[in-house]
Amino acid sequence: MDETQGAIDQAAAAAKARFEAMARKALERGERDRELAARVQAMTATVSSRRKEVTVTVDHGGRVTNMQISDRGVELSGQELSRVVLETIRQAGQEVGKSVGEAVRESWGDESPETARTLSSYDVFGAPSGGDADDSSGNDGRLPWNVGRRS
């Protein structure tokens, strides 16, 4: 019977050690996730349009928290200014998304399902636009603020 009791005690001790290790890892992961959340919450991106007509700041969620329109921006037509503002907001959103992505990958790794879910939520900003299809300005569909750049 002593042999059986010894085996039971050993199995119980091993199970307890595994459970304690799992609990320790869960606590560490929770702390790391809280730190990541705090870092992400504090992230912003500030981007200026190519010719500095508009400067936009967005927070980690892509919400515009600040916008400045320069004298050069005021000289644009309403339609042109609207396009510049929207493109600059998209670019700022992409930048903050990159920052969030780097932090998430650093914390969770590339293979984590949480990483994939988080990064997919930042896809809303999409790739930089190349201009309007019906642009008749003669600049190959590139808008004034990205002439000379190719996507």
Side-chain angles (χ1 to χ4, degrees), residues 64-123:
V64 175
T65 60
N66 191 23
M67 182 186 320
Q68 297 174 344
I69 298 174
S70 70
D71 290 341
R72 182 177 281 177
V74 173
E75 293 172 0
L76 297 175
S77 71
Q79 185 178 14
E80 289 174 282
L81 181 58
S82 295
R83 285 193 302 235
V84 172
V85 167
L86 289 175
E87 181 63 23
T88 306
I89 290 170
R90 281 188 204 104
Q91 289 172 351
Q94 290 168 354
E95 288 300 313
V96 81
K98 287 178 195 174
S99 297
V100 169
E102 290 169 7
V104 166
R105 284 187 186 99
E106 180 184 305
S107 183
W108 292 337
D110 285 327
E111 303 302 316
S112 168
E114 291 89 354
T115 297
R117 275 194 301 277
T118 301
L119 297 182
S120 71
S121 70
Y122 282 88
D123 286 344

Side-chain angles (χ1 to χ4, degrees), residues 39-56:
R39 283 177 55 202
V40 167
Q41 291 284 326
M43 288 181 179
T44 64
T46 300
V47 172
S48 293
S49 59
R50 183 168 181 235
R51 294 190 177 129
K52 311 290 187 239
E53 302 97 337
V54 176
T55 300
V56 174

